[in-house]
Amino acid sequence: ILWHLVEILWVAPRYQSAAAAPQILLELVDWARLHCPQPDRWIAELLESANATDAPELHQRFWDSLYLLVLQGRTVDARNLLSQHSQAGRQQQLKDAMELLNMPKYSFVRDSQSVRKFDVAHCLWQKDVRVRLEAGLFAAHPQLELLVELLAGDEDAFARPEIVGLCDSWYQLLLARLLLTNPTGSLDCLGREAPEAEALYKRDRPSQRDGDGDGLLDGVLVRLLFDGQVGQFLAEAAGCLGSNWWFVAHLADLLHHCLGGEVGGCSGGGFGAIREHFLLEYSHSMLGRAALWQLAVSYLDYCSNYGRHYQ
C-alpha cells in the first residue's frame, strides 16, 4: 500500500509534465479504491437477490453502492446501477440523474492544453448539475438528491455522516472530495486539505481520534506523504515496522536514485545520508544470520560514506 503511494506521489511525477496532475489524482483515487472493494461486493449481493424483488432500490446497499461508486469516480458503473431502479424508465428525476452521471473524464495527454479543455468541460458539467439541483428537481427524492449533491461537489454532502461512514479512511474521503471539487488542482492541495478531511473522518470515531485505531496508515504515514515529509515518513515507518529494515532501506534507495537526493525537504547530501543510514541498518540486521552475512556485506558496497568502516 505505502510503496505504491510513494511511487504515485514521488517517483511517477519525476518523469511526467505538469499536465499530469489530474492523471496523478485519478491514480490516487484508484489506489484508495483498491483497498475499498465494498461496492463491488454489495452490487454482487444485489444481483443475487434480484429475483427476490423487482425494486432493488429498496435495498439499502443499492444507495450505499451508488454513493461509493461516485466517491471512487466510477460514474459509468453508478449510471449502470441506477438504471436498475424499478422506475428508471418512467421517472424523469432518474433520467436526469443518469444523464448527470456522464461526468467528463480526463484523458491524459502530455500538454497543458488537455488540462484546460478538461477543466472547462468539468466546470460546464458541474454547473449543469448545480442548476438542476437548485431548481429542486430532486427535492422529492432525498436519496437521489444526495447523489446529485455529491456530483455537484457540495461540501455539506461530503460531511453527511452516511457518506463519511462509507469511507474506510480519511484519505479516501479527501481524494473523493478533490476529484469532484478540484480535479485539476496541484498535488500541494493534498497537504493543505488533509487536516480537514482527517478531522471530519475521525469526528465520530473516538478510537481513531484518540490514537487507538489504525494509526499505521490513517494516523501518521499517509499524512506525512501527503505533506511531502518523506524523510520523516521513512523514520516513522522504521519505527512502526520494528526490526524489519527491508522496506525503508529499499524505498530510500529507490527515491535516492530516482530523485537525486532532492526528496521531501532534504537537499544536497541530506537524503543521501538518510538512505545510507537505512542501508547500514538493514545490512546490520542480516549480519547476525549465518546464511545472510555475505549478502549483508554486499550492501556495504553501496554505502560510500561509512560502508568501508564496517567491512
Side-chain angles (χ1 to χ4, degrees), residues 5-284:
L5 180 59
V6 171
E7 288 181 337
I8 294 172
L9 289 175
W10 291 94
V11 178
R14 179 74 171 184
Y15 305 98
Q16 296 174 339
S17 68
Q23 179 66 24
I24 294 173
L25 177 57
L26 290 176
E27 291 175 4
L28 288 172
V29 172
D30 285 340
W31 167 80
R33 185 179 70 189
L34 289 174
H35 313 295
C36 180
Q38 287 97 322
D40 297 296
R41 291 201 300 261
W42 293 342
I43 291 171
E45 292 176 8
L46 287 170
L47 292 177
E48 289 177 2
S49 62
N51 294 330
T53 176
D54 293 327
E57 66 274 9
L58 298 180
H59 197 305
Q60 181 56 39
R61 292 306 191 196
F62 179 85
W63 296 102
D64 289 344
S65 299
L66 277 171
Y67 300 146
L68 258 181
L69 289 172
V70 169
L71 294 176
Q72 294 178 352
R74 300 168 60 184
T75 51
V76 173
D77 292 335
R79 187 170 65 249
N80 291 337
L81 180 57
L82 188 57
S83 69
Q84 301 303 310
H85 193 290
S86 62
Q87 301 297 316
R90 294 186 285 272
Q91 284 189 6
Q92 186 60 42
Q93 296 167 315
L94 292 167
K95 294 179 181 179
D96 287 342
M98 284 189 285
E99 182 181 349
L100 293 176
L101 281 166
N102 288 307
M103 184 175 75
K105 296 292 184 181
Y106 178 72
S107 178
F108 177 54
V109 181
R110 293 180 180 274
D111 60 60
S112 58
Q113 184 64 29
S114 63
V115 177
R116 288 194 291 270
K117 288 181 179 178
F118 168 74
D119 204 18
V120 170
H122 187 273
C123 287
L124 290 174
W125 164 77
Q126 206 159 60
K127 181 180 179 180
D128 184 28
V129 174
R130 291 179 181 133
V131 166
R132 300 194 200 193
L133 193 60
E134 291 169 1
L137 298 182
F138 308 98
H141 198 316
Q143 292 168 308
L144 193 61
E145 185 176 44
L146 177 56
L147 179 72
V148 179
E149 286 173 346
L150 291 173
L151 294 175
D154 187 292
E155 294 291 347
D156 291 338
F158 284 101
R160 294 269 292 269
E162 59 266 44
I163 297 301
V164 177
L166 290 174
C167 297
D168 281 343
S169 61
W170 63 263
Y171 54 79
Q172 183 188 359
L173 178 63
L174 169 64
L175 295 172
R177 289 174 61 183
L178 290 176
L179 181 68
L180 288 161
T181 61
N182 190 21
T184 58
S186 69
L187 295 181
D188 294 339
C189 61
L190 290 173
R192 290 196 304 269
E193 299 196 23
E196 181 181 353
E198 187 173 6
L200 185 62
Y201 179 77
K202 295 181 178 181
R203 178 184 58 192
D204 300 320
R205 293 172 173 82
S207 63
Q208 293 198 3
R209 185 171 62 245
D210 297 336
D212 298 328
D214 185 9
L216 178 64
L217 285 176
D218 296 338
V220 179
L221 299 180
V222 171
R223 176 68 181 277
L224 287 171
L225 288 176
F226 282 178
D227 287 339
Q229 300 298 319
V230 179
Q232 186 63 29
F233 160 78
L234 290 170
E236 294 287 348
C240 291
L241 297 174
S243 60
N244 183 0
W245 293 95
W246 185 95
F247 175 79
V248 290
H250 289 85
L251 188 56
D253 188 60
L254 172 67
L255 290 170
H256 175 75
H257 287 293
C258 289
L259 307 180
E262 302 292 329
V263 182
C266 300
S267 59
F271 192 78
I274 293 174
R275 163 192 172 268
E276 188 159 320
H277 165 73
F278 288 128
L279 287 177
L280 289 171
E281 289 290 350
Y282 180 54
S283 175
H284 180 73

